[in-house]
Structures are given as structure tokens and as C-alpha cells.
Amino acid sequence: MNRTSSLGGFLEQFRQHHPQDVFLVNEEVNVEYESTAYYKLLEEKNPLIWFPKVKGYPDFQLVTNIMGSRARMAFALGLDSESKLYETWHEALNSKGEIRISDENPPVKERVFGGKDVDLYSLPVIKHYSGDGSHTGFGRYITAGMAVARDPLSPETINMSFTRIQIIDKDRYSFDLGSRSHFWRYVQSATQNGDSLQVSVVVGAHPVFYLLAASVIENEYCIASRLIDTTFTNGMTNHVPVPSEAEIVIEAEVLPNEYYHEGPCGEFTGYMAGRTAGSVAKVKAILRRARPIYYDIQ
């Protein structure tokens, strides 16, 4: 079992063991285009890129390209090399642990903003490309957000899914559901009944959660509990638990029958993706660490 269950702990351990694979940028980075420029310049070397200082956001750090190599995925699983990566991951997906809930001073609740204090623009959300959001002019996308929700038909089932998130107001975002994911089914089920769906978006967590969110499974928390010594904490406004050591959590509810034409968005595949489900969520609270690490996927 890994000795750390936080993103910050993983980054420090990885830098200690593989300093040559971490590119540290000591100058302030601008959230508009600059981190993308660094990524493009360093693409051939493919390092993890860490920005300790973000212009206009003194409380935040920024990191990108964490999962950019199989070697880093293996390290996240506590392996010394990638030789047993697939075997280890296959075994992990067929194991389950117990979800431990602990509300005793969880780091993700060091700062809690609700009501009129909710402000998505207070987060260092990156603008990657000039064409992003050109349908409407909103070009800042949360690209490393894992949407956590309960299955409306089976509430004991909890799922984590990737979804691209476009900020359209201080307390609203539009998002694309992807293709037939579990989260897509949850939203469809709630919408058909005219109900809102509670969703908590985790931005920044131990890489194990990101590997699990990319897998076509449900109840990822149970597997994470076998891989890292992690606990979960109850939501503030949602009945959805979140990792206690997450960096940032956005608690929201998906609004039925509300549509917003977000996009296009420069996806990780290298294409500008224009199709969208255009779903909309209203933010009820933002939870975060006092000095959070904002994780961005280029």
C-alpha cells in the first residue's frame, strides 16, 4: 500500500525518486495559454510539469501531465517499474476494500465557500487554446474534474467519471457527458424523472483516483481503498462523499432540461471537439485546501 493518499504527497515522492522527470517552473505562470505553451515546448521530453506560482492566484499551485507516462502510472500504484503495471491494474480492478468515512479535520474542508461566496472564477482554471469555447466566448475549461454521483436507481452505488467542464458563470458550469458513461446514464435517469442530480466534482486527488475514473467501472472508491490508505468525508451540501485529501471539490446539482451550447474544446486526442450534451449544473459550494494544487490535463 502506498505511503501517501494525497496528490501533494505523490508529487513530493515522485520528485524525490525521479527528479529528472519533473520540470519545475519557478516563474509565475498565467492561466491563459502559458501552461499550454510549456507543455508544447516540453512535449518531446514529456515530464510532469509543476508551477508553484500562479499569477493572480496566490493560494494555488498548478500541475499538469501527471499521467503522461506509464512509468508515472506505475509509480502511482507503488511499483518500481512498469513491467507489472497491467497485471497489477487487472488485479486491482477485481478487488474491493471498505470505504472509511471520517469527518475529523479533512484537508479538503480547510476552506469552504457557500451561498454568495461561491465563485468558480476564484479557481485558476486554464484557457488552453484560442478556439476553446468559441461558440459563446467562455474559454476556460476544467479538464481534470472527476464527477462523483450516486446512481439514482441504486443510491448505494457511487461512480467517478471524467467530464469536461466549461465555466459559464460564477455559480454555473456546462459540461459534456461523453459517450454512454455511467454518469451519462445517471443524468439521463434523473432528467427523465424531472429531478436534479447531485454531483461533486473532484479537481486534484491521488492519481489512483484518476486511473479509476478512466476505467469503465462503478464503486471506484472501494478499489481505491485497497490501493491507498485513504478516507472519505461527507459532502457539505450533497449526499456524496469525497476523498478527504482531495485538493478541490465543487458541489453542484445538474439542472434538468437546461441546455447550454458549450465548446468546442481542444481534447487530449488533439482534435477540437464541437459536439456536446450541453448539460448545466448549478454550484452550491466549493471545498478546498488552504494551499491547493490545481491539476490540469492538457
Side-chain angles (χ1 to χ4, degrees):
M1 184 167 288
N2 291 307
R3 290 170 292 177
T4 181
S5 58
S6 70
L7 176 59
F10 167 84
L11 292 173
E12 290 294 350
Q13 286 185 1
F14 187 76
R15 183 167 65 165
Q16 179 182 353
H17 287 84
H18 301 282
Q20 76 286 351
D21 201 21
V22 177
F23 190 88
L24 198 66
V25 180
N26 289 315
E27 297 98 7
E28 277 191 332
V29 65
N30 196 306
V31 297
E32 293 203 358
Y33 308 126
E34 283 192 3
S35 67
T36 305
Y38 273 104
Y39 175 77
K40 290 295 184 182
L41 287 170
L42 296 166
E43 197 166 14
E44 187 173 338
K45 293 183 178 179
N46 191 34
L48 183 157
I49 311 173
W50 195 343
F51 305 92
K53 292 179 284 188
V54 184
K55 187 175 182 180
Y57 301 87
D59 291 343
F60 291 83
Q61 301 180 66
L62 171 66
V63 68
T64 190
N65 205 30
I66 293 176
M67 294 283 94
S69 74
R70 291 181 179 86
R72 293 198 280 277
M73 294 180 190
F75 191 86
L77 294 174
L79 301 175
D80 294 329
S81 72
E82 59 184 272
S83 62
K84 293 186 177 180
L85 174 60
Y86 300 110
E87 177 185 345
T88 301
W89 191 240
H90 178 74
E91 291 175 357
L93 293 181
N94 288 281
S95 67
K96 289 185 179 181
E98 294 293 326
I99 297 177
R100 292 183 292 135
I101 301 293
S102 175
D103 289 320
E104 187 175 348
N105 301 319
V108 72
K109 292 179 180 176
E110 288 177 336
R111 299 287 187 272
V112 177
F113 305 88
K116 294 181 179 179
D117 294 326
V118 166
D119 186 2
L120 290 171
Y121 295 115
S122 69
L123 305 177
V125 181
I126 304 301
K127 185 169 185 179
H128 296 96
Y129 303 102
S130 60
D132 285 348
S134 53
H135 287 158
T136 56
F138 292 100
R140 296 174 67 182
Y141 274 87
I142 296 173
T143 54
M146 296 179 288
V148 186
R150 292 184 181 273
D151 185 344
L153 302 179
S154 179
E156 70 278 3
T157 300
I158 299 174
N159 177 253
M160 301 185 80
S161 294
F162 279 108
T163 177
R164 76 177 189 225
I165 292 171
Q166 182 190 48
I167 297 175
I168 59 176
D169 204 344
K170 62 180 296 187
D171 65 348
R172 263 177 168 74
Y173 66 80
S174 180
F175 63 98
D176 185 65
L177 292 164
S179 301
R180 309 289 172 170
S181 66
H182 291 106
F183 185 47
W184 179 89
R185 178 168 59 80
Y186 295 0
V187 173
Q188 295 300 309
S189 178
T191 300
Q192 288 170 7
N193 290 325
D195 298 328
S196 61
L197 178 72
Q198 294 184 355
V199 55
S200 295
V201 179
V202 177
V203 185
H206 191 282
V208 156
F209 287 105
Y210 282 89
L211 290 170
L212 288 167
S215 303
V216 189
I217 58 173
E218 292 176 297
N219 289 320
E220 291 91 342
Y221 283 178
C222 294
I223 300 174
S225 296
R226 286 293 301 272
L227 296 170
I228 54 177
D229 187 14
T230 187
T231 63
F232 301 86
T233 184
N234 290 308
M236 299 294 292
T237 63
N238 282 350
H239 300 299
V240 178
V242 294
S244 300
E245 295 195 83
E247 300 294 319
I248 302 162
V249 169
I250 301 165
E251 293 189 341
E253 59 181 11
V254 179
L255 303 175
N257 304 316
E258 187 167 333
Y259 177 83
Y260 185 90
H261 191 188
E262 63 87 23
C265 179
E267 297 279 10
F268 70 94
T269 53
Y271 295 93
M272 291 294 291
R275 294 172 57 188
T276 179
S279 299
V280 176
K282 178 176 175 57
V283 179
K284 300 181 289 184
I286 296 176
L287 290 52
R288 68 170 176 85
R289 289 171 174 260
R291 173 94 167 119
I293 301 169
Y294 183 85
Y295 177 29
D296 178 65
I297 297 175
Q298 295 286 349

